[in-house]
Amino acid sequence: MPKKLLARRVAVLGAGVMGAQIAAHLTNAGVDTVLFDLPAKDGDPNGVVGKAIANLTKLSPAPLASKTLAERITPANYETGLEQLRDCDLIIEAIAERMDWKQDLYRKIAPFVPEHAILASNTSGLGINKLAEVLPEQLRHRFCGVHFFNPPRYMHLAELIPAKTTDAEVLTALETFLTTALGKGVVIAKDTPNFIGNRIGVFSMLAAMHHTEQFGLGFDTVDALTGPAIGRPKSATYRTADVVGLDTMAHVIKTMADTLPEDPWHAYFKAPKWLSALIEKGALGQKTGAGVYTKRGKDILVLDLKAQDYRVSAGELEPEVAALLKEKDPAKKFAALRASQHPQAQFLWAIFRDSFHYSAYHLESIAETARDIDFAMRWGYGWSLGPFETWQSAGWKQVAEWIAEDIVSGKAMSSAPLPDWVFDGRDGVHDKDGSYSPARKTQVPRSSNPVYARQRFPDPLLGEKFSQGRTVFENDGIRMWADEGDDIAVVSFKTKMHTVNDHVLNGLQEAISIAERDFAGLVIWQPKEPFSAGADLAGALGLLQAGDVKGFEAMVANFQATSQRIKYALVPVVAAVRGLALGGGCEFQMHSAKAVFALESYIGLVEAGVGLLPAGGGLKEIAVRASEAAGPGGDVFAQLKTAFESIAMGKVSASAFEAKELKLAREGDAVVFNAFELLHVAKAQARALAESGYRPPLPARRIQVAGDVGIATFKMMLVNMLEGRFISPHDYEIASRIATVMCGGEVDRGALVDEEWLLRLEREHFVALAQMPKTQERIAHMLKTGKPLRN
């Protein structure tokens, strides 16, 4: 078996919710994908799959990084299409969670699976060894479980579950493919029911349900307690159950009851009475419009068990409990929660205690190390810290004593003792040598799979510190750094949301000068999202309100000078973008020698929303690109249309691919699926450019523009929108000025101008808009509420 999975073609079996979305994500990643399901009863035999593919374009959040990718998925069915499996390198089975159905399908496809292909079952909890029993001998060593979390494009976790017969090389090859090609965080799980994420995740929900009743709290109050207040997603406990589907939730609980008879917490593996009652009524959560929550008009209502009816949701943290949760020191916070007599505080201590207890008790049987459990909960359930990290940060020994006391006094959900290793004198499970493995009785370092060498800053666990490199230059806005002996430097912003102010502008210009002198290339990269939320609006508004128009104009000129410095640097400047890149952040990547985008990059020139137009060289760059694309004497206006709509409407791309469609990114810019590999790829791109004798582009002195005819054509479109009340008069004013700059001003169609001309137009119209009261209202409203004002 080769150490690498050469995935030219992949098949996904099952076009249900998960199967179709896994196929979509494979297609996002540029993998030729065939999607199978049962033949349709009449009409096109591939009708079932055709319908599922069409549905992918309607789902939100979108499984496809671009709607155009839907047609790239090949539909097939089990009756007439099995021959297509012969040229697949990986086959992922994702049909319903029924052992007998899955095994029947394996018997059917086995004769068509090529000798080198890997077969993987996407199951959320069925036994992998049991599934393998029906496979022919030669296929067993190429079979394992792979569990994607829903929705597969966005959830970072993928659990890999080897069977006893799985070859180690198969696992390594699949782990590499999942990590780099699909951008996943892989956790290797043992073959136990529900694996790691759902075993701990569903238990933590059951514990919350049990203690909701025990402490007499409302469902909405529990959601207020178990969401962002403790570093968990907004959907918290009961909203999550509604989203998953109450019937699915009950099914998972029943599976735990059936498959884990020996579990010391088995008595709690049953659906609460209220849950069964809602399911009987057909109130299954979000998909039916009612579950624990329902909506009436604009009001969100929550089920009130005492009243046996819905009431307006008002669950809030009691001020004294909210104050306890604001304590920065975890040790003090946990001591206060445990000591408090308030039911909300007692509830929180109880759910933490029981999930720590459960995780420690089961660690050895379900996972190799404590790291696997913590990552599974962070990547699969969106917790900011896993259970062991939380426990360790709160003081391992003290918390262990408290748990032990509660077990003895009957307060814990189970009387099962904590394992001996918890009390062996340790201060936690994670340290510089790795994470604890009870089976090996030692700390185990991170995986040695070579794919992880691509992650310069992997997702850190509690206590992990990665070298920050050597600081080359620093000011109040940026830090420029490099690894020892590396000829590519990196620059990162220090501002909040990585906004751009004078310190950032001056720092970038200085960093480029240093890079030209001492390095082969420079990468603009942020250790955390976003890439940049754009210009510092508060500083800009301050200058305007003080009446300092000259200072304001100077700031804009400095912004443009920085963009030009990026574009014409003598070494390649590469932008490594993930998350939001708005306004000036978008303009910086437009001026870079090359941009490298994480798939989840949300790019936009959104200045219209605050009553302004892009003036960091963005409109100038659009005009330059349109002129280049049209060629001498060509139709420049046709090349401007898409970008004009994107900018005038303030559109933000929903993926890196969509940024290319909106003309805010270049066709040749790279897209990386694993955000932790972004820096590695950006540095490699900078080095490749440097090695191939990089020279910046020659100054654009003959830019063909659309001129007065282009402006008039855009204005005709805008007048129709104004008359149809789709835009306000101020929107019309802004969009007309955007059109004027992009078309090169009131000059003849096809006239030739230079960059300086376009930059001056940007500045003039930007400063004129900035002085208008309606624009200043928009800026102030955005700073106050974070939302655009349509005045």
Side-chain angles (χ1 to χ4, degrees):
M1 185 77 198
K3 289 201 165 42
K4 209 170 169 194
L5 170 55
L6 303 170
R8 283 187 185 84
R9 199 162 205 225
V10 175
V12 178
L13 312 180
V17 177
M18 277 308 273
Q21 293 200 50
I22 292 167
H25 194 56
L26 284 158
T27 308
N28 290 339
V31 178
D32 184 15
T33 304
V34 196
L35 180 59
F36 282 81
D37 211 304
L38 295 165
K41 289 196 169 64
D42 39 43
D44 176 5
N46 295 331
V48 176
V49 177
K51 214 177 198 164
I53 293 171
N55 192 45
L56 287 171
T57 60
K58 300 180 193 129
L59 293 177
S60 175
L64 291 162
S66 162
K67 284 190 172 152
T68 59
L69 290 169
E71 63 206 36
R72 297 289 182 87
I73 302 171
T74 307
N77 70 81
Y78 305 130
E79 289 305 314
T80 62
L82 290 181
E83 281 295 330
Q84 294 194 60
L85 291 176
R86 294 194 193 278
D87 58 357
C88 289
D89 306 296
L90 168 64
I91 298 164
I92 299 171
E93 168 273 305
I95 68 168
E97 290 285 277
R98 285 248 326 243
M99 183 66 74
D100 52 342
W101 291 0
K102 286 183 190 278
Q103 289 185 330
D104 283 347
L105 182 60
Y106 294 175
R107 289 187 190 98
K108 190 169 188 170
I109 64 164
F112 300 90
V113 177
E115 281 178 16
H116 70 284
I118 295 174
L119 173 64
S121 173
N122 177 67
T123 167
S124 55
L126 292 179
I128 300 301
N129 285 301
K130 186 96 183 99
L131 284 169
E133 284 172 7
V134 299
L135 293 171
E137 195 52 50
Q138 77 277 14
L139 188 47
R140 286 187 193 181
H141 66 97
R142 291 178 278 127
F143 172 75
C144 64
V146 58
H147 177 212
F148 289 93
F149 274 61
N150 194 13
R153 170 181 160 188
Y154 302 94
M155 295 305 286
H156 191 56
L157 179 64
E159 292 177 317
L160 260 188
I161 312 98
K164 291 190 190 84
T165 48
T166 312
D167 278 359
E169 283 181 351
V170 166
L171 219 56
T172 304
L174 193 50
E175 181 176 9
T176 303
F177 173 75
L178 290 169
T179 303
T180 288
L182 301 188
K184 295 296 154 212
V186 175
V187 164
I188 311 270
K190 295 187 179 179
D191 184 20
T192 57
N194 287 6
F195 312 128
I196 300 174
N198 284 342
R199 181 76 178 270
I200 304 295
V202 175
F203 173 79
S204 72
M205 288 179 77
L206 285 171
M209 288 175 180
H210 167 70
H211 291 302
T212 300
E213 200 176 330
Q214 196 189 3
F215 292 105
L217 301 176
F219 295 138
D220 49 345
T221 303
V222 168
D223 277 354
L225 287 164
T226 56
I230 58 167
R232 309 257 173 101
K234 280 211 270 288
S235 56
T237 302
Y238 293 103
R239 263 180 221 287
T240 298
D242 267 358
V243 171
V244 168
L246 300 185
D247 50 342
T248 307
M249 191 74 202
H251 174 73
V252 173
I253 295 169
K254 186 182 181 316
T255 304
M256 284 178 80
D258 295 347
T259 55
L260 295 165
E262 305 297 311
D263 192 305
W265 284 261
H266 187 267
Y268 301 97
F269 299 166
K270 57 176 191 281
K273 284 196 191 84
W274 59 263
L275 183 62
S276 307
L278 283 174
I279 293 168
E280 259 169 54
K281 275 206 258 180
L284 308 179
Q286 203 169 1
K287 58 188 167 190
T288 59
V292 178
Y293 292 91
T294 190
K295 224 174 166 184
R296 277 191 204 148
K298 285 193 173 167
D299 289 333
I300 293 182
L301 309 184
V302 64
L303 184 66
D304 187 317
L305 289 182
K306 287 189 188 114
Q308 289 289 301
D309 197 5
Y310 290 97
R311 60 167 168 79
V312 173
S313 169
E316 283 174 5
L317 301 184
E318 288 288 343
E320 66 177 272
V321 179
L324 296 183
L325 290 175
K326 286 204 171 72
E327 168 60 57
K328 289 273 184 280
D329 178 350
K332 287 181 182 160
K333 185 192 304 185
F334 273 84
L337 286 174
R338 188 168 191 264
S340 169
Q341 290 307 298
H342 196 289
Q344 291 187 7
Q346 290 180 334
F347 167 85
L348 283 172
W349 161 249
I351 62 163
F352 277 115
R353 172 200 64 216
D354 290 319
S355 66
F356 295 163
H357 186 189
Y358 194 81
S359 301
Y361 184 89
H362 288 296
L363 171 57
E364 185 165 359
S365 64
I366 67 173
E368 188 54 52
T369 72
R371 181 191 308 109
D372 302 320
I373 287 185
D374 281 346
F375 276 152
M377 295 318 296
R378 280 165 43 169
W379 297 342
Y381 275 76
W383 293 11
S384 58
L385 289 177
F388 290 117
E389 290 178 290
T390 309
W391 177 352
Q392 183 170 330
S393 67
W396 183 268
K397 289 174 175 156
Q398 178 59 76
V399 172
E401 272 175 37
W402 286 336
I403 298 170
E405 279 172 30
D406 282 9
I407 294 170
V408 171
S409 63
K411 286 180 185 163
M413 284 168 72
S414 163
S415 59
L418 281 168
D420 291 343
W421 58 262
V422 170
F423 301 103
D424 64 7
R426 67 181 51 253
D427 286 312
V429 286
H430 306 298
D431 62 25
K432 62 180 189 343
D433 298 323
S435 298
Y436 187 64
S437 163
R440 300 196 212 170
K441 298 190 170 35
T442 183
Q443 300 297 105
V444 175
R446 279 177 177 258
S447 167
S448 58
N449 184 331
V451 72
Y452 296 112
R454 297 168 59 85
Q455 300 185 14
R456 168 69 176 79
F457 294 94
D459 200 358
L461 272 169
L462 182 76
E464 277 188 321
K465 287 272 187 288
F466 303 106
S467 155
Q468 304 297 307
R470 161 181 71 87
T471 300
V472 177
F473 164 76
E474 193 166 16
N475 71 354
D476 287 344
I478 65 128
R479 173 176 177 256
M480 178 187 189
W481 59 275
D483 285 329
E484 218 44 66
D486 197 347
D487 59 351
I488 306 293
V490 183
V491 67
S492 305
F493 302 176
K494 290 156 63 171
T495 48
K496 190 178 176 186
M497 296 283 286
H498 306 132
T499 52
V500 181
N501 58 18
D502 277 332
H503 297 300
V504 172
L505 295 171
N506 298 336
L508 268 176
Q509 293 180 43
E510 179 63 24
I512 291 168
S513 297
I514 296 168
E516 287 174 330
R517 192 184 67 217
D518 299 334
F519 292 91
L522 181 66
V523 172
I524 304 174
W525 170 84
Q526 316 296 6
K528 285 205 168 99
E529 288 182 26
F531 177 71
S532 170
D536 168 25
L537 284 175
L541 188 62
L543 288 171
L544 288 172
Q545 286 171 338
D548 184 1
V549 178
K550 278 225 166 3
F552 184 74
E553 209 167 337
M555 188 182 98
V556 181
N558 197 22
F559 216 122
Q560 292 180 332
T562 308
S563 292
Q564 292 294 83
R565 193 77 183 83
I566 290 171
K567 182 173 180 176
Y568 292 110
L570 291 170
V571 292
V573 178
V574 173
V577 181
R578 62 179 158 173
L580 290 171
L582 304 179
C586 175
E587 289 173 306
F588 285 162
Q589 65 81 16
M590 289 173 79
H591 285 79
S592 62
K594 193 167 179 102
V596 177
F597 294 98
L599 175 67
E600 302 307 332
S601 291
Y602 311 122
I603 317 291
L605 288 173
V606 294
E607 285 82 354
V610 288
L612 295 165
L613 53 73
L619 296 181
K620 176 268 300 178
E621 206 55 25
I622 296 283
V624 171
R625 289 178 190 182
S627 171
E628 286 170 357
D635 184 354
V636 176
F637 181 80
Q639 299 294 333
L640 289 172
K641 249 182 97 176
T642 303
F644 173 74
E645 283 169 20
S646 302
I647 297 165
M649 308 301 280
K651 286 183 184 171
V652 178
S653 76
S655 73
F657 294 123
E658 205 175 278
K660 295 183 182 190
E661 288 166 14
L662 296 176
K663 300 292 181 210
L664 299 172
R666 293 161 290 205
E667 275 309 315
D669 286 333
V671 179
V672 173
F673 273 61
N674 195 319
F676 295 108
E677 296 183 356
L678 188 65
L679 180 58
H680 171 86
V681 176
K683 283 169 82 171
Q685 296 271 357
R687 190 167 290 112
L689 285 169
E691 292 284 342
S692 52
Y694 179 77
R695 287 294 303 175
L698 287 167
R701 296 194 180 99
R702 293 172 62 78
I703 304 156
Q704 185 187 326
V705 292
D708 48 10
V709 178
I711 298 169
T713 315
F714 277 135
K715 280 189 174 174
M716 267 162 48
M717 284 166 50
L718 292 169
V719 166
N720 289 336
M721 292 178 78
L722 183 63
E723 287 174 352
R725 304 240 174 131
F726 293 109
I727 58 174
S728 72
H730 195 50
D731 290 327
Y732 176 84
E733 175 75 36
I734 300 156
S736 301
R737 288 174 182 271
I738 289 171
T740 303
V741 179
M742 281 171 85
C743 294
E746 297 287 350
V747 294
D748 292 343
R749 175 167 66 178
L752 299 174
V753 303
D754 62 10
E755 282 188 295
E756 208 31 71
W757 171 267
L758 291 165
L759 290 170
R760 185 179 57 73
L761 278 176
E762 270 189 8
R763 280 198 305 279
E764 283 174 7
H765 286 281
F766 186 83
V767 172
L769 279 171
Q771 292 178 73
M772 294 180 183
K774 277 194 161 35
T775 286
Q776 296 194 14
E777 280 171 26
R778 284 191 180 193
I779 296 174
H781 188 269
M782 175 62 82
L783 286 169
K784 196 171 162 190
T785 66
K787 292 187 175 74
L789 171 70
R790 284 275 172 238
N791 55 353

